[in-house]
Amino acid sequence: MKILITAAGSYGDVAPYTGVGAGLREAGHEVTLATHDTYAPLVRAAGLSFRRLPADPRAARPDPGRAPAPAPNGKRDLMRKAAAFIQELGGGIAEAATEDTELLLLSTTTAPLGRHLAEALDIPSLDLALQPNAPTGDFAPVIGGGRSLGRWGNRAMGHLSLRVIDRLYAGAVRDLRTRLGLPPATPRTVRRRAEAANQRVLYGFSELLVPRPKDWRSGLDIVGNWWPWQAPDAQLPSAVEDFIAAGPPPVFLGFGSMAAGDGARLSTLAVRALRRAKVRGILQSGWAGLTADTAPGAHPDILTVGEVPHALLFPRMSAVVHHCGAGTAAAGLRAGVPTVPVPVTADQPFWAARLAALGAATAPIPFKDLANVPTDAADRSDNHSDEPDERAVARLAEAITRATTDPAHRERAAEAARRLATEDGTAEVAAAVARLA
């Protein structure tokens, strides 16, 4: 089949689909991945055709040297920014498919738009989700922070979250359907139509972290993780290999696309916590611009790296400290090393709590407890300091010490790695596509 995968957002929202696409290509399909220009090299390296989608988040990436941007002024501001991203994305979705496209595979972000494209082309589509976004009594919506409201409350909030998403996509869907020559229909109408038809949704995570809820409808299937494509001969950079070989396994620390603009203070915090815990460390710069170079003093036991595949780096660590995005959380488990979760936003508190409940992680440390990032321009310019709070340093150091010295965390992480090694989420997607074909 000629297959188009659409994915939008940060690296963690896109990279898993390169592995899916490569698996489908090996199964004989012709695969194109539509995403942002930033990821074009990654897509092409996996042997997939690339098609551009607009609204690249990295185009609006703040300068790491600037003070942190003010937080959105309430939920309305956050919703407005999300709707603007979706509106721009919707304009590109219409151009992503060609007339000979035979199947659409849709990420969580693109599914509410892609369903209308599938309708216009009269072809099947399949949702490939990275988060458990269907309502259930087992847990509250993952974006809500993960605190349970009881079975009735969890389900009610789950349905409410779907209606909020419908509202976010309403304007983009209206314009997209007009552009595609389709009759008017709201996002809720099309979504409920798919639910009534028991349209299948595959979830790319392990039941080790999220057992399938018994109250989910048929067709909602958890199939295992989808891993970013990686060249068979890929190796760590020589500087990283040399650093790892020079002493005990270090601790990884990075926040991915989170915490942009607060790099100087976070770098000092990270360096002080690693030194207090008496461990070697690797800082991944990410959007925050973490680097040991800005922290006072010489730090021969701390290395700063750029983009390095977690699949190669994490198994060589004694522990990993990160924001707990879905993909990074799974990568830590796959490596069999303990995690220190520092969730920032969105679904990250949910995954952090799941890792801790599994015993493969320490208790989560909310990023705001370490950051004290100002929320308005006046505070940011007058009161913001690059000096971290000493209590934050002590708390992070204590968690790192626990992760690297408590054998229970390592044992549970190793057990999880053995379980994940038996799962093949990409093969499950290929089987689903074969049935559609």
Side-chain angles (χ1 to χ4, degrees):
M1 299 182 79
K2 289 183 171 62
I3 299 172
L4 175 67
I5 305 174
T6 62
S10 67
Y11 177 88
D13 299 313
V14 175
Y17 300 101
T18 62
V20 171
L24 292 172
R25 179 178 53 78
E26 291 172 5
H29 301 287
E30 193 174 314
V31 185
T32 298
L33 176 51
T35 186
H36 312 299
D37 288 332
T38 297
Y39 309 111
L42 183 65
V43 171
R44 293 188 174 114
L48 312 177
S49 298
F50 170 78
R51 205 157 292 152
R52 179 183 182 276
L53 287 183
D56 189 342
R58 288 207 176 190
R61 174 181 173 178
D63 183 347
R66 293 206 317 254
N73 186 17
K75 292 183 179 179
R76 288 186 179 181
D77 188 22
L78 186 62
M79 294 276 284
R80 185 165 53 250
K81 291 180 178 179
F85 168 80
I86 292 165
Q87 191 72 33
E88 186 179 356
L89 184 63
I93 284 283
E95 301 173 359
T98 56
E99 291 183 358
D100 60 353
T101 301
E102 296 172 294
L103 173 66
L104 288 176
L105 301 183
L106 309 172
S107 72
T108 305
T109 310
T110 62
L113 298 168
R115 296 184 191 117
H116 308 276
L117 183 58
E119 180 183 343
L121 296 173
D122 193 24
I123 59 174
S125 68
L126 181 64
D127 287 13
L128 305 183
L130 296 174
Q131 293 84 16
N133 52 8
T136 175
D138 288 7
F139 47 82
V142 297
I143 301 299
R147 185 173 65 87
S148 178
L149 305 171
R151 294 199 63 83
W152 183 90
N154 290 341
R155 283 194 62 83
M157 288 303 296
H159 286 290
L160 178 60
S161 70
L162 291 181
R163 290 198 291 273
V164 170
I165 293 171
D166 291 341
R167 287 181 57 191
L168 276 175
Y169 281 83
V173 164
R174 182 179 59 250
D175 294 348
L176 179 60
R177 291 187 69 87
T178 299
R179 183 170 181 176
L180 295 172
L182 296 172
T186 66
R188 184 183 184 189
T189 298
V190 176
R191 173 175 58 80
R192 291 173 72 97
R193 190 184 301 159
E195 292 170 355
N198 278 337
Q199 186 167 324
R200 199 173 183 203
V201 179
L202 302 185
Y203 290 94
F205 47 81
S206 174
E207 287 203 61
L208 178 68
L209 282 180
V210 186
R212 186 185 187 280
K214 291 183 172 58
D215 57 355
W216 271 8
R217 66 169 175 84
S218 62
L220 304 180
D221 298 318
I222 298 173
V223 299
N225 290 97
W226 305 313
W227 307 109
W229 177 84
Q230 182 176 292
D233 59 349
Q235 295 181 344
L236 290 172
S238 58
V240 179
E241 280 284 2
D242 292 345
F243 177 80
I244 293 174
V251 171
F252 168 90
L253 195 150
F255 296 110
S257 60
M258 299 289 105
D262 200 29
R265 200 191 56 76
L266 286 175
S267 296
T268 302
L269 168 68
V271 168
R272 289 185 180 176
L274 291 168
R275 291 178 68 85
R276 180 171 296 193
K278 298 180 181 179
V279 295
R280 304 167 73 226
I282 291 182
L283 304 185
Q284 189 167 47
S285 54
W287 283 30
L290 297 182
T291 174
D293 296 337
T294 61
H299 308 289
D301 286 339
I302 301 176
L303 178 70
T304 302
V305 300
E307 293 187 7
V308 178
H310 291 163
L312 296 177
L313 187 62
F314 281 10
R316 310 285 295 279
M317 302 294 103
S318 59
V320 290
V321 183
H322 56 73
H323 59 295
C324 265
T328 314
L333 276 186
R334 186 189 192 191
V337 297
T339 295
V340 176
V342 186
V344 182
T345 187
D347 60 331
Q348 296 158 19
F350 174 84
W351 296 113
R354 292 281 163 159
L355 289 177
L358 190 65
T362 61
I365 304 174
F367 179 79
K368 62 181 177 60
D369 291 356
L370 298 182
N372 295 322
V373 176
T375 57
D376 60 67
D379 284 347
R380 192 169 68 255
S381 59
D382 297 337
N383 302 323
H384 187 62
S385 171
D386 286 342
E387 283 297 309
D389 188 298
E390 189 60 28
R391 290 169 298 180
V393 173
R395 186 174 180 185
L396 182 57
E398 181 184 358
I400 291 173
T401 299
R402 191 178 305 116
T404 54
T405 60
D406 186 346
H409 288 314
R410 181 163 292 277
E411 290 169 7
R412 295 309 301 272
E415 290 173 8
R418 288 191 289 270
R419 164 73 179 271
L420 293 188
T422 68
E423 302 175 351
D424 191 344
T426 297
E428 294 288 342
V429 176
V433 168
R435 284 191 287 273
L436 286 172

